[in-house]
């Protein structure tokens, strides 16, 4: 129990022991932390706290070397407990059979595929941020891309589990892949379910490559810092319990292995930039293709409610919508909990993401409306029946209209509409979309709503098919629910591990959008910070955009900076 | 900068890559060769009661027809295992003794007479068994189409104790269903194993003759899932 007195904080700041952050200062009511500026002649700063390059390295590496905070261990233990439910439930499922789920003859896809589509959709924000925003030179992505990419990987892991376990005989799930076998059974290449296997596995591979490749320079920084500490302090270095090996020794080895011999040479950076650009190019179609193909699982069938040409764009917009909500759900607590993170993830970042949620939410709302329009316009009575009597009609309304029929899942449909279409509308108001509490609440609603969207599409379409004799309701069992809860726990556990052991920010990229990275910065120093910021936004190097032919001068200070104590940190020293 | 890894680790990536390739090749090759019915099933030869019914002797040497014992093979899906009374028809006390009478033979076939007298079936062990998710394999359909016994069971007339001659894997079934002509023989030759064996030495001629039979008999070997699976 250590109490830090205010004067001690000031003293630490003055001594340079603690970075000066806006968190220490009162927020401006108009501009928040200074990034919500109204002045159109200036761009909002992307990194706060008047940081130099060294302090960025210190903060980001600090999350790994000192830990993200005391909250981490309890949070991790809690999340891991929940995550443990998942293997238990899966083992129970495999031992007993899919009968432990609430599936029946009519509703043969329910929570399993709902969860699959939910999780695979979550990942799309990561790919959008890392690929499309990179190609569009959106500099604000640099602070959130690493976390979003990590989230993508973890969401794909959760997603990939469900199709694997829903096949009933799990030990036959290798048949998802075209492998020659003594049954002479070959995959059905005309089935979208097989396209799904390829889409998701390609997506997982490319996302993992993108994520890992981006981390290589940061791994090298962590390696060098650990190796230098080993040189300096021989005996008092902390050691692992039981094994007795120095923690820094382990770090140097593990991060050394992961960094794959990265030496911060100009050639390395050049290759890195090229590879990054290429991977961004490869990933960009994936943002659109993966969820399009997931939507084909439904759209290519002839079931009313599934057989809809609007599905691919509708699913993609929904995936980005839900993905950004999940990014916000993760980043808002982390920036509160991790010291100094508010300097990188500013209020402007959150507002930008809120705007994307508003946009994609409107697209999703348009798709919901268009399904009804097409049903009415086509005058196909099965289509109309599905949308009105499987989804829309609440019991009280059916009395008003005198139809005597109502949709049993009306509550799920209206929950979806409320969460996905109504709640994001608050972001039209600047006051509300700049309020962190409101953003967090809406993001939570959207996440729930996107789960309901998949539930509505899958279960309500299936539960009443053409013959009334096959009409059934779906009731989830405890195993259904706990498997999903367990997958949320798995996701959170993996994310917490990421926060503890992997660099949460792309250090070199953040440095590239700082004013110091601007070639004119040092010449114009007298011009003040604001000028430096403005220029930095216009000419500063960015990954993918500025690499290669952009000129030798601009990146010299940043890209060749090992960011570790091994060589002088250019920004600070100059 | 200090070195983190000792010098010998320079060769590690190469070794790991080589090891990964070797492991992958071993696993794929191992599964390819070992994890198939061709490896596991072919050659299954359980020990039968009384040393087993000697097909080599009865079919090969004495020239008995398959249908003498497997009576329903032309009309039933099941190629029935004969009732012990069929064995007893020859191996009763006063029949074969006229021709072969030796204490050794008498002793060897005693279990047949015991089974007959006590009215207990002989517990033959099943050799050819399909998985439970395959419907009853229709022997009559195949026999009537002109598929010789030899195509699935090998030349039983050369097997002192019956063993499993083919893998009975699904791809093995499909190989024939996708290309049935070379296995078709004249209808009166289906059970004449040694004649068929000679014909099969010339696959080209089999193919030509098979084409004729295929059209004559209006065969349509099904390839849909429901043909074999419920």
């Amino acid at each position: 129990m250590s109490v830090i007195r205010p004067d001690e904080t000031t003293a630490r700041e003055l001594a340079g022991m603690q970075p000066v952050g806006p968190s220490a200062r009162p927020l401006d009511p108009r501009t928040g932390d200074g990034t919500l500026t109204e002045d159109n002649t200036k761009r909002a700063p992307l990194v706060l706290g008047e940081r130099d390059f060294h302090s960025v390295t210190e903060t980001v590496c600090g999350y790994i070397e000192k830990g993200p905070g005391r909250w981490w261990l309890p949070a991790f233990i809690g999340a891991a407990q929940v995550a443990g439910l998942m293997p238990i439930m899966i083992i129970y499922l495999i031992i007993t059979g899919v009968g432990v789920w609430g599936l029946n003859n009519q509703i043969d896809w329910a929570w399993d595929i709902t969860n699959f589509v939910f999780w695979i959709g979550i990942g799309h924000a990561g790919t959008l941020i890392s690929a499309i925003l990179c190609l569009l030179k959106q500099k604000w992505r640099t602070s959130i891309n690493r976390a979003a990419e990590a989230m993508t990987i973890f969401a794909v892991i959760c997603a990939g589990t469900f199709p694997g376990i829903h096949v009933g005989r799990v030990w036959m799930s290798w048949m998802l892949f075209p492998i020659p076998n003594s049954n002479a059974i070959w995959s059905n290449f005309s089935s979208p379910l097989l396209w799904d296997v390829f889409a998701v596995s390609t997506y997982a591979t490319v996302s993992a490559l993108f994520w890992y490749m981006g981390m290589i320079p940061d791994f090298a920084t962590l390696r060098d810092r650990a190796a230098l500490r080993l040189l300096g302090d021989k005996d008092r270095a902390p050691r692992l319990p039981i094994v007795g090996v120095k923690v820094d020794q382990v770090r140097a080895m593990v991060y050394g292995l992961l960094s794959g011999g990265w030496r911060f040479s100009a050639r390395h950076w050049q290759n890195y930039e090229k590879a990054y650009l290429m991977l961004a190019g490869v990933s960009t179609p994936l943002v659109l293709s993966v969820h399009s193909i997931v939507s084909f699982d439904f759209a290519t069938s002839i079931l009313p409610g599934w057989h809809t040409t609007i599905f691919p764009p509708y699913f993609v917009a929904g995936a980005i919508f839900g993905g950004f909500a999940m990014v916000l759900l993760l980043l808002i607590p982390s920036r509160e909990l991790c010291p100094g993170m508010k300097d990188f993830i500013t209020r402007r970042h959150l507002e930008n993401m809120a705007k994307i949620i508003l946009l994609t939410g409107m697209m999703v709302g348009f798709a919901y409306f268009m399904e009804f329009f097409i049903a009415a316009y086509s005058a196909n009575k099965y289509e109309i029946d599905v949308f009105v009597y499987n989804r829309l009609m609440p019991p009280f309304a059916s009395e008003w209209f005198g139809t005597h029929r109502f949709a049993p899942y009306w509550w799920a449909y209206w929950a979806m509409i409320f969460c996905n279409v109504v709640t994001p509308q608050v972001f039209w108001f600047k006051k509300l979309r700049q309020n962190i509490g409101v953003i967090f609440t809406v993001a939570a609603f959207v996440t729930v709503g996107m789960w309901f969207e998949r539930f509505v599409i899958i279960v309500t379409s299936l539960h009443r098919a053409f013959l009334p004799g096959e009409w059934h309701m779906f009731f989830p069992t405890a195993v259904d629910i706990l498997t999903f809860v367990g997958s949320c726990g798995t996701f959170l556990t993996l994310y917490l591990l990421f926060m503890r052991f992997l660099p949460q920010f792309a250090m070199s990229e953040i440095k590239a959008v700082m004013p110091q990275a601007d070639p004119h910065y040092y010449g114009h120093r007298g011009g003040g910070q604001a000028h430096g910021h403005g220029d930095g936004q216009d000419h500063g190097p960015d990954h993918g955009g500025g690499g290669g032919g952009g000129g030798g001068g601009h990146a010299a200070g940043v890209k060749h900076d090992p960011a570790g104590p091994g060589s002088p940190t250019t920004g600070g020293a100059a | 900068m200090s070195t983190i890894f000792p010098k010998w680790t320079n060769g590690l990536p190469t070794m790991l890559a080589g090891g990964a390739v070797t492991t992958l090749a071993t696993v794929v090759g191992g599964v390819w060769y070992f994890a198939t019915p061709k490896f596991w099933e072919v050659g299954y030869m359980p020990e039968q009661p009384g040393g087993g019914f000697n097909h080599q002797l009865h079919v090969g040497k004495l020239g008995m027809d398959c249908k003498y014992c497997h009576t329903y093979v032309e009309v039933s899906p099941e190629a029935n295992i004969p009732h012990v009374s069929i064995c007893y028809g020859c191996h009763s006390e006063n029949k074969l003794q006229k021709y072969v009478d030796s204490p050794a033979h008498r002793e060897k076939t005693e279990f047949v007479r015991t089974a007959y007298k006590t009215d207990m079936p002989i517990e033959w062990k099943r050799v050819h068994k399909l998985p439970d998710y395959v419907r009853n394999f229709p022997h009559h359909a195949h026999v009537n189409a002109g598929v010789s016994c030899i195509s699935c069971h090998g030349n039983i007339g050369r097997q002192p104790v019956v063993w499993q001659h083919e893998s009975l894997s699904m791809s093995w079934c499909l190989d024939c269903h996708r290309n049935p002509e070379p296995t078709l023989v004249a209808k009166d030759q289906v059970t004449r194993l040694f004649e068929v064996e000679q014909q099969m030495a010339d696959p080209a001629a089999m193919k030509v003759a098979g084409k004729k039979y295929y059209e004559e008999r209006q065969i349509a070997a099904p390839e849909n899932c429901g043909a074999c699976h419920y």
Side-chain angles (χ1 to χ4, degrees):
Chain A
M1 183 93 185
S2 71
V3 180
I4 299 179
R5 290 182 297 280
D7 52 345
E8 198 178 334
T9 313
T10 319
R12 276 164 174 262
E13 279 183 8
L14 288 172
M17 291 166 72
Q18 198 164 303
V20 188
S23 45
R25 294 184 211 132
L27 291 178
D28 186 321
R30 279 187 304 112
T31 62
D33 51 5
T35 55
L36 302 174
T37 168
E38 290 286 321
D39 187 353
N40 285 333
T41 61
K42 278 187 262 171
R43 281 180 189 263
L46 292 167
V47 177
L48 299 172
E50 286 152 30
R51 285 170 176 276
D52 54 17
F53 290 157
H54 182 64
S55 86
V56 171
T57 310
E58 282 295 320
T59 308
V60 176
C61 295
Y63 298 142
I64 296 160
E65 288 159 359
K66 293 177 215 129
R70 287 193 179 168
W71 56 272
W72 185 85
L73 194 62
F76 173 74
I77 291 171
Q81 301 270 345
V82 181
L85 284 172
M86 199 177 182
I88 293 172
M89 288 301 132
I90 291 175
I91 289 167
Y92 179 60
L93 170 88
I94 294 172
I95 290 173
T96 320
V98 278
V100 299
W101 286 347
L103 305 175
N104 53 47
N105 272 350
Q106 188 56 32
I107 303 160
D108 43 12
W109 277 356
W111 279 44
D112 45 357
I113 301 300
T114 303
N115 297 339
F116 161 66
V117 183
F118 172 75
W119 282 119
I120 200 85
I122 294 287
H124 280 61
T127 326
L128 182 97
I129 291 167
S130 51
I132 293 187
L133 295 190
C134 170
L135 295 181
L136 296 177
K137 300 191 185 178
Q138 293 294 312
K139 293 182 201 307
W140 60 279
R141 69 178 269 286
T142 53
S143 300
I144 53 170
N145 72 329
R146 179 65 50 71
E149 286 163 21
M151 182 207 73
T152 297
I153 308 286
F154 306 146
V156 172
I157 290 172
C158 290
T161 315
F162 286 98
I165 58 173
H166 95 294
V167 294
R169 289 193 284 161
V170 178
W171 48 96
M172 303 297 271
S173 54
W174 57 268
M175 282 193 160
L176 290 169
F177 298 94
I179 297 171
N181 57 65
S182 59
N183 291 2
I185 296 175
W186 197 238
S187 309
N188 182 2
F189 279 89
S190 58
S191 163
L193 299 178
L194 183 71
W195 311 342
D196 224 10
V197 172
F198 289 111
V200 173
S201 48
T202 309
Y203 186 49
T205 313
V206 173
S207 304
L209 275 178
F210 209 164
W211 186 51
Y212 170 64
M213 208 208 72
M215 283 194 289
I216 288 176
D218 298 337
F219 285 142
T221 303
L222 287 161
R223 170 202 66 191
D224 290 353
R225 288 167 62 94
L228 270 179
R229 278 195 302 272
L230 279 178
L231 282 182
D233 187 344
K234 293 240 188 293
D235 299 322
R236 280 183 296 144
R239 288 168 183 274
L240 285 179
I242 305 164
V243 198
V245 187
K246 279 183 199 159
V247 176
D248 278 327
Q249 185 69 45
V250 178
R251 281 195 190 120
M253 301 276 276
V254 172
Y255 293 122
L257 205 61
L258 289 170
S259 62
W262 180 272
R263 291 188 308 279
F264 298 98
S265 81
R267 186 178 292 271
H268 285 178
W269 280 116
Q270 195 187 13
N271 290 340
Y272 173 87
E273 294 280 341
K274 266 188 204 154
Y276 203 94
L277 189 61
M278 278 198 281
L279 276 176
V282 170
S283 305
T284 301
L286 282 179
V287 178
L288 306 173
S289 71
V290 176
H291 228 55
S292 295
I293 288 171
V294 170
S295 81
F296 291 163
D297 291 349
F298 309 104
T300 58
S301 74
I302 54 162
L303 191 74
W306 285 7
H307 186 56
T308 315
T309 48
I310 203 174
F311 261 20
Y314 158 27
F315 268 53
V316 171
I320 292 163
F321 180 56
F324 267 93
M326 186 57 94
V327 172
L328 284 167
L329 277 187
L330 292 171
L331 287 187
I332 290 175
S334 13
R335 78 193 275 279
E336 297 294 337
L337 289 168
C338 299
M341 202 182 269
K342 282 180 180 169
D343 289 355
F344 305 129
I345 302 170
T346 66
R347 300 282 291 270
R348 169 70 77 176
H349 285 98
L350 302 181
E351 194 197 357
N352 285 348
M353 286 192 266
K355 284 176 181 169
I356 291 185
I357 288 203
L358 177 60
L359 171 74
T360 47
M362 302 274 286
M363 288 158 84
V364 169
F366 174 76
Y368 296 158
F369 166 74
M370 197 43 67
E371 285 190 314
F372 279 93
F373 173 75
I374 293 294
Y377 190 66
S378 69
N380 181 320
K381 72 180 192 183
Y382 299 102
E383 192 82 6
I384 295 170
D385 208 73
V386 160
F387 282 103
V388 178
Y389 296 112
N390 277 7
R391 298 188 181 173
L392 185 68
M393 189 72 79
F396 51 86
S398 78
E399 279 169 33
W400 292 342
F401 292 117
T403 58
H404 309 294
R405 280 180 65 197
F406 68 94
Y409 283 111
W410 66 276
W411 49 271
Y413 184 78
W414 286 104
M416 169 189 98
I417 292 287
F418 177 75
C419 294
N420 290 354
V421 183
V422 180
T423 52
Q425 302 305 320
V426 301
F427 288 154
W428 285 110
F429 305 100
K430 182 168 274 182
K431 274 268 173 305
L432 294 172
R433 76 165 175 264
Q434 291 180 346
N435 183 319
I436 294 176
V438 172
I439 297 177
F440 188 79
T441 314
V442 171
F445 267 109
V446 168
T447 307
V448 173
M450 285 312 291
W451 189 88
F452 265 110
E453 182 197 292
R454 280 64 179 249
F455 179 79
V456 164
I457 291 172
I458 293 168
V459 172
T460 65
S461 302
L462 280 173
H463 88 296
R464 289 190 166 180
F466 299 97
L467 296 174
E470 354 173 272
W471 290 6
H472 285 287
M473 292 294 285
F474 174 77
F475 299 102
T477 62
V479 182
D480 272 314
I481 297 165
L482 291 178
T483 312
F484 177 58
V485 171
S487 75
C488 298
T490 308
F491 180 74
L492 198 58
T493 308
L494 291 169
Y495 193 79
L496 285 168
L497 285 171
F498 159 73
M499 290 180 84
R500 179 70 184 82
F501 295 111
L502 297 176
Q504 287 186 63
F505 294 93
M507 287 184 265
S508 59
E509 292 193 39
I510 284 191
K511 288 170 189 170
V513 299
M514 284 165 66
Q516 290 93 323
D518 182 61
H520 306 298
Y521 175 74
Y522 296 107
H524 288 230
R525 206 150 193 193
Q529 201 72 350
H531 182 70
H533 278 303
D535 263 6
Q537 301 316 306
D538 294 328
H539 308 296
D542 192 9
H543 283 282
H554 76 278
V558 186
K559 297 301 172 59
H560 306 164
D561 169 24
S567 42
T569 48
T570 326
Chain B
M1 184 52 66
S2 64
T3 48
I4 296 166
F5 298 102
K7 198 164 184 184
W8 63 266
T9 53
N10 282 344
L12 212 56
T14 323
M15 287 197 292
L16 284 176
V21 169
T22 316
T23 314
L24 194 73
T26 314
V27 169
V28 170
V31 170
W32 199 295
Y33 184 76
F34 292 108
T36 57
K38 210 183 249 175
F39 179 82
W40 284 112
E41 303 283 323
V42 174
Y44 173 59
M45 190 168 68
E47 209 170 291
Q48 302 283 8
F53 178 83
N54 192 336
H55 282 80
Q56 189 187 35
L57 174 69
H58 292 84
V59 181
K61 222 167 170 186
L62 303 176
M64 282 171 68
D65 192 90
C66 306
K67 289 177 283 183
Y68 184 84
C69 305
H70 302 288
T71 42
Y72 297 118
V73 74
E74 282 174 316
V75 290
S76 155
E78 192 73 20
N80 55 310
I81 300 296
H83 189 262
V84 66
S85 60
I86 290 184
C87 313
Y88 189 75
C90 301
H91 288 284
S92 57
E93 289 82 353
N94 51 4
K95 278 231 171 131
L96 268 182
Q97 262 88 327
K98 283 189 214 163
Y99 309 102
V100 262
D101 194 12
S102 70
H105 180 257
R106 228 178 296 156
E107 194 190 340
K108 203 168 163 66
T109 55
E110 189 56 39
F111 74 105
V112 172
R113 288 180 287 276
T114 319
Y116 182 77
K117 278 170 195 153
T118 53
D119 202 18
M120 289 295 286
I122 302 168
E123 291 179 1
W124 302 112
K125 293 205 179 85
R126 184 160 193 168
V127 180
H128 295 83
K129 191 171 185 308
L130 290 171
D132 54 2
Y133 46 82
V134 178
R135 294 149 87 119
N136 208 357
F137 172 84
H139 273 85
H140 61 312
H142 290 83
V143 168
N144 292 334
V147 179
S148 168
C149 312
I150 208 169
S151 294
C152 305
H153 299 285
N155 192 344
I156 287 283
R158 296 190 189 279
Q159 299 175 10
V161 180
V162 174
W163 66 75
Q164 186 169 330
H165 193 263
E166 299 290 340
S167 67
L168 307 191
S169 72
M170 184 167 151
S171 71
W172 172 81
C173 296
L174 281 170
D175 282 346
C176 194
H177 273 233
R178 285 172 179 162
N179 181 25
E181 287 97 345
T183 52
L184 299 178
V185 296
K187 278 199 177 175
D188 58 348
Q189 289 187 325
V190 169
T191 56
R192 295 187 186 170
L193 305 179
F194 288 89
E195 284 170 40
V196 174
E197 195 180 40
Q198 274 176 355
Q199 288 171 24
M200 282 192 164
D202 185 4
M206 286 290 289
K207 180 99 184 164
V208 174
K211 267 212 169 71
K212 195 182 63 171
Y213 297 137
Y214 192 77
E215 278 153 29
E216 265 175 19
R217 297 170 193 167
Q218 297 183 331
I219 297 168
E223 285 175 47
N224 55 317
C225 311
C228 309
H229 302 282
Y230 290 102

